[in-house]
């Protein structure tokens, strides 16, 4: 499955490389557009010393770690949210008859290097934040774990959004509320939101495990909502459970799917 994905992604990359000028422009544009989010946070800290009880370096750490997870997940699996376009056009049928996973084909569809710009921007922000925090290794080991778990969580949300489109072919906006909306929500400390929302993204759609709960451990901070300390180490379990739910939903959608006949 991994080999098939890499082959399809490489094919699309070779196609996009035929227009190098456009490719570089799109990468730079993606980097610059996402850098505006950092500018917005910087403007906030020009008027206050903390955001939700966290200083600038800590907020940048939460932003960078969530942004890196989302950017990598969006680059690798984000095309799944275009499923309804293929269903309406009838091109999804061709994916079902090929000797490869339909999910892998959807994920690799029109894979573009221009999304590296967003990934690079998040990586730069995370690197700068870590240089300011000077974290001990006794807590820093959690950082790669939270990034990987974040990728799995966002990929699962993309898969769930795709599965929803088997039922509602006009549902990309609904799916985007959880995918891109979730990416935006996790850019900031969850302490700026209400308690009910935080419990929802902890126990229902586990976006809190992308960077918030493990981030509290890395930063050695108390949970302002008083949730159990053990949740800080539950990101791998949350990612696996959500991935299992997403896989079940995707398979159910495939079984339910009926060709458009076009």
């Amino acid at each position: 499955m991994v080999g098939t994905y890499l082959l399809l992604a490489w094919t699309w990359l070779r196609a996009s490389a035929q227009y190098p000028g456009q490719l570089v422009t799109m990468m730079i544009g993606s980097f610059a557009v996402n850098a505006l989010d950092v500018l917005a946070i910087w403007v906030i800290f020009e008027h206050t010393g903390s955001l939700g009880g966290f200083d600038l370096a800590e907020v940048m750490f939460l932003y960078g770690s969530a942004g890196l997870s989302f950017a990598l997940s969006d680059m690798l699996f984000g095309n799944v949210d275009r499923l309804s376009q293929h269903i309406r056009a009838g091109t999804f049928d061709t994916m079902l008859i090929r000797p490869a996973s339909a999910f892998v084909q959807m994920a690799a569809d029109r894979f573009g290097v221009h999304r590296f710009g967003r990934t690079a921007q998040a990586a730069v922000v995370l690197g700068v934040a870590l240089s300011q925090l000077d974290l001990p290794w006794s807590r820093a080991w959690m950082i790669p774990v939270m990034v990987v778990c974040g990728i799995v969580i966002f990929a699962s949300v993309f898969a769930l959004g795709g599965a929803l489109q088997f039922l509602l072919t006009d549902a990309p906006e609904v799916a985007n509320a959880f995918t891109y909306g979730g990416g935006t929500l996790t850019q900031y400390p969850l302490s700026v939101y209400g308690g009910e929302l935080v419990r929802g993204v902890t126990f229902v759609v586990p976006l809190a495990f992308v960077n918030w709960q493990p981030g509290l451990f890395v930063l050695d901070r108390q949970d302002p909502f008083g949730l159990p300390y053990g949740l800080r180490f539950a990101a791998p379990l949350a990612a696996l459970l959500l991935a299992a739910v997403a896989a079940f939903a995707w398979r159910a959608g495939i079984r339910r799917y009926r060709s458009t006949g076009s």
Side-chain angles (χ1 to χ4, degrees):
M1 185 179 297
V2 175
T4 302
Y5 180 94
L6 293 175
L7 178 61
L8 292 172
W10 175 245
T11 301
W12 282 109
L13 281 175
R14 289 183 61 187
S16 60
Q18 301 303 311
Y19 305 94
Q22 180 182 2
L23 196 63
V24 172
T25 300
M26 293 180 68
M27 287 181 61
I28 295 175
S30 177
F31 187 101
V33 168
N34 287 282
L36 294 177
D37 293 335
V38 178
L39 178 61
I41 295 174
W42 182 80
V43 170
I44 291 173
F45 274 93
E46 283 292 298
H47 298 84
T48 182
S50 66
L51 181 62
F54 293 78
D55 62 29
L56 178 59
E58 292 171 328
V59 172
M60 287 294 100
F61 166 73
L62 294 173
Y63 171 93
S65 56
L68 184 59
S69 293
F70 181 80
L72 288 170
S73 181
D74 184 35
M75 180 176 65
L76 297 173
F77 306 104
N79 285 317
V80 174
D81 69 359
R82 300 174 61 247
L83 174 63
S84 62
Q85 298 178 26
H86 288 278
I87 292 177
R88 286 194 297 267
T91 52
F92 185 67
D93 293 1
T94 62
M95 296 184 181
L96 293 176
I97 63 176
R98 291 171 182 162
S101 165
F103 181 80
V104 170
Q105 293 181 69
M106 277 300 310
D109 183 53
R110 300 190 181 279
F111 184 93
V113 73
H114 64 275
R115 297 191 178 189
F116 290 166
R118 183 172 194 161
T119 304
Q121 183 265 346
V124 168
V125 173
L126 179 59
V128 172
L130 290 176
S131 69
Q132 298 296 315
L133 290 171
D134 191 25
L135 299 169
W137 285 109
S138 59
R139 300 199 308 272
W141 63 266
M142 178 65 81
I143 298 172
V145 175
M146 63 192 286
V147 171
V148 171
C149 289
I151 293 172
V152 174
I153 289 172
F154 280 125
S156 300
V157 174
F158 275 117
L160 286 169
L164 178 63
Q165 295 178 47
F166 284 113
L167 295 173
L168 305 171
T169 56
D170 292 321
E173 293 78 9
V174 177
N176 289 346
F178 293 95
T179 53
Y180 295 97
T184 300
L185 181 143
T186 54
Q187 290 179 353
Y188 301 94
L190 293 190
S191 51
V192 303
Y193 304 109
E196 293 302 319
L197 175 62
V198 173
R199 288 176 175 82
V201 297
T202 301
F203 300 110
V204 181
V205 182
L207 295 173
F209 296 100
V210 171
N211 65 340
W212 175 247
Q213 284 294 340
L216 290 175
F217 170 76
V218 173
L219 298 174
D220 195 24
R221 299 293 298 268
Q222 295 295 320
D223 189 330
F225 300 98
L227 295 177
Y229 185 83
L231 291 177
R232 303 180 185 199
F233 306 97
L237 177 60
L240 288 174
L241 289 176
L242 188 61
V245 172
F248 175 81
W250 180 264
R251 292 193 185 98
I254 290 288
R255 288 194 298 269
R256 183 187 180 279
Y257 174 72
R258 297 294 181 269
S259 173
T260 59
S262 59

